[in-house]
PDB file of all heavy atoms in Angstrom:
ATOM      1  N   VAL A  38     108.711 104.251  88.237  1.00 73.00           N
ATOM      2  CA  VAL A  38     109.982 104.233  87.611  1.00 73.00           C
ATOM      3  C   VAL A  38     109.877 103.736  86.098  1.00 73.00           C
ATOM      4  O   VAL A  38     110.307 104.443  85.219  1.00 73.00           O
ATOM      5  CB  VAL A  38     111.014 103.351  88.278  1.00 73.00           C
ATOM      6  CG1 VAL A  38     112.301 103.319  87.432  1.00 73.00           C
ATOM      7  CG2 VAL A  38     111.305 103.964  89.711  1.00 73.00           C
ATOM      8  N   ALA A  39     109.002 102.782  85.939  1.00 73.00           N
ATOM      9  CA  ALA A  39     108.759 102.219  84.557  1.00 73.00           C
ATOM     10  C   ALA A  39     108.062 103.305  83.651  1.00 73.00           C
ATOM     11  O   ALA A  39     108.360 103.439  82.504  1.00 73.00           O
ATOM     12  CB  ALA A  39     107.985 100.996  84.614  1.00 73.00           C
ATOM     13  N   ILE A  40     107.172 103.996  84.218  1.00 76.00           N
ATOM     14  CA  ILE A  40     106.427 105.024  83.518  1.00 76.00           C
ATOM     15  C   ILE A  40     107.317 106.138  82.989  1.00 76.00           C
ATOM     16  O   ILE A  40     107.410 106.452  81.805  1.00 76.00           O
ATOM     17  CB  ILE A  40     105.196 105.582  84.388  1.00 76.00           C
ATOM     18  CG1 ILE A  40     104.186 104.545  84.524  1.00 76.00           C
ATOM     19  CG2 ILE A  40     104.641 106.851  83.627  1.00 76.00           C
ATOM     20  CD1 ILE A  40     103.022 104.940  85.456  1.00 76.00           C
ATOM     21  N   VAL A  41     108.054 106.706  84.007  1.00 72.00           N
ATOM     22  CA  VAL A  41     108.922 107.812  83.604  1.00 72.00           C
ATOM     23  C   VAL A  41     110.231 107.301  82.815  1.00 72.00           C
ATOM     24  O   VAL A  41     110.851 108.110  82.040  1.00 72.00           O
ATOM     25  CB  VAL A  41     109.268 108.646  84.853  1.00 72.00           C
ATOM     26  CG1 VAL A  41     108.124 109.241  85.435  1.00 72.00           C
ATOM     27  CG2 VAL A  41     110.093 107.762  85.852  1.00 72.00           C
ATOM     28  N   GLY A  42     110.595 106.023  83.079  1.00 68.00           N
ATOM     29  CA  GLY A  42     111.648 105.465  82.343  1.00 68.00           C
ATOM     30  C   GLY A  42     111.513 105.330  80.784  1.00 68.00           C
ATOM     31  O   GLY A  42     112.347 105.239  80.113  1.00 68.00           O
ATOM     32  N   HIS A  43     110.201 105.444  80.417  1.00 62.00           N
ATOM     33  CA  HIS A  43     109.905 105.363  78.994  1.00 62.00           C
ATOM     34  C   HIS A  43     109.466 106.776  78.552  1.00 62.00           C
ATOM     35  O   HIS A  43     108.942 106.868  77.334  1.00 62.00           O
ATOM     36  CB  HIS A  43     108.736 104.376  78.745  1.00 62.00           C
ATOM     37  CG  HIS A  43     109.182 102.909  79.053  1.00 62.00           C
ATOM     38  ND1 HIS A  43     109.345 102.359  80.272  1.00 62.00           N
ATOM     39  CD2 HIS A  43     109.622 101.948  78.159  1.00 62.00           C
ATOM     40  CE1 HIS A  43     109.696 101.160  80.173  1.00 62.00           C
ATOM     41  NE2 HIS A  43     110.003 100.874  78.903  1.00 62.00           N
ATOM     42  N   LEU A  44     109.808 107.796  79.196  1.00 65.00           N
ATOM     43  CA  LEU A  44     109.483 109.173  78.571  1.00 65.00           C
ATOM     44  C   LEU A  44     110.619 109.798  77.891  1.00 65.00           C
ATOM     45  O   LEU A  44     110.636 110.925  77.416  1.00 65.00           O
ATOM     46  CB  LEU A  44     109.283 110.092  79.837  1.00 65.00           C
ATOM     47  CG  LEU A  44     107.743 109.732  80.547  1.00 65.00           C
ATOM     48  CD1 LEU A  44     107.534 110.660  81.694  1.00 65.00           C
ATOM     49  CD2 LEU A  44     106.657 109.673  79.555  1.00 65.00           C
ATOM     50  N   GLY A  45     111.777 109.030  77.792  1.00 59.00           N
ATOM     51  CA  GLY A  45     112.849 109.441  76.892  1.00 59.00           C
ATOM     52  C   GLY A  45     114.070 110.232  77.657  1.00 59.00           C
ATOM     53  O   GLY A  45     114.925 110.576  76.834  1.00 59.00           O
ATOM     54  N   ALA A  46     114.110 110.382  78.876  1.00 62.00           N
ATOM     55  CA  ALA A  46     115.306 111.000  79.438  1.00 62.00           C
ATOM     56  C   ALA A  46     115.555 110.406  80.837  1.00 62.00           C
ATOM     57  O   ALA A  46     114.543 110.141  81.629  1.00 62.00           O
ATOM     58  CB  ALA A  46     115.063 112.521  79.594  1.00 62.00           C
ATOM     59  N   ALA A  47     116.896 110.235  81.167  1.00 67.00           N
ATOM     60  CA  ALA A  47     117.174 109.706  82.514  1.00 67.00           C
ATOM     61  C   ALA A  47     116.824 110.695  83.707  1.00 67.00           C
ATOM     62  O   ALA A  47     116.626 110.367  84.745  1.00 67.00           O
ATOM     63  CB  ALA A  47     118.689 109.476  82.661  1.00 67.00           C
ATOM     64  N   SER A  48     116.599 112.008  83.282  1.00 70.00           N
ATOM     65  CA  SER A  48     116.301 113.099  84.337  1.00 70.00           C
ATOM     66  C   SER A  48     114.853 112.867  84.996  1.00 70.00           C
ATOM     67  O   SER A  48     114.660 113.058  86.167  1.00 70.00           O
ATOM     68  CB  SER A  48     116.259 114.462  83.594  1.00 70.00           C
ATOM     69  OG  SER A  48     115.335 114.534  82.607  1.00 70.00           O
ATOM     70  N   TYR A  49     114.015 112.137  84.178  1.00 73.00           N
ATOM     71  CA  TYR A  49     112.740 111.766  84.680  1.00 73.00           C
ATOM     72  C   TYR A  49     112.894 110.726  85.825  1.00 73.00           C
ATOM     73  O   TYR A  49     112.245 110.832  86.914  1.00 73.00           O
ATOM     74  CB  TYR A  49     111.775 111.266  83.662  1.00 73.00           C
ATOM     75  CG  TYR A  49     111.193 112.274  82.757  1.00 73.00           C
ATOM     76  CD1 TYR A  49     111.631 112.375  81.396  1.00 73.00           C
ATOM     77  CD2 TYR A  49     110.429 113.323  83.182  1.00 73.00           C
ATOM     78  CE1 TYR A  49     111.162 113.232  80.540  1.00 73.00           C
ATOM     79  CE2 TYR A  49     109.936 114.252  82.367  1.00 73.00           C
ATOM     80  CZ  TYR A  49     110.289 114.264  80.891  1.00 73.00           C
ATOM     81  OH  TYR A  49     109.902 115.259  80.165  1.00 73.00           O
ATOM     82  N   ILE A  50     113.713 109.717  85.563  1.00 75.00           N
ATOM     83  CA  ILE A  50     113.937 108.680  86.596  1.00 75.00           C
ATOM     84  C   ILE A  50     114.493 109.346  87.844  1.00 75.00           C
ATOM     85  O   ILE A  50     114.263 109.009  89.009  1.00 75.00           O
ATOM     86  CB  ILE A  50     114.830 107.510  86.046  1.00 75.00           C
ATOM     87  CG1 ILE A  50     114.194 106.847  84.947  1.00 75.00           C
ATOM     88  CG2 ILE A  50     115.174 106.561  87.132  1.00 75.00           C
ATOM     89  CD1 ILE A  50     114.990 105.798  84.172  1.00 75.00           C
ATOM     90  N   GLY A  51     115.651 110.133  87.556  1.00 73.00           N
ATOM     91  CA  GLY A  51     116.238 110.853  88.809  1.00 73.00           C
ATOM     92  C   GLY A  51     115.294 111.733  89.547  1.00 73.00           C
ATOM     93  O   GLY A  51     115.386 111.686  90.829  1.00 73.00           O
TER      94      GLY A  51
END
Side-chain angles (χ1 to χ4, degrees):
V38 171
I40 288 173
V41 298
H43 290 82
L44 293 179
S48 59
Y49 289 114
I50 299 178

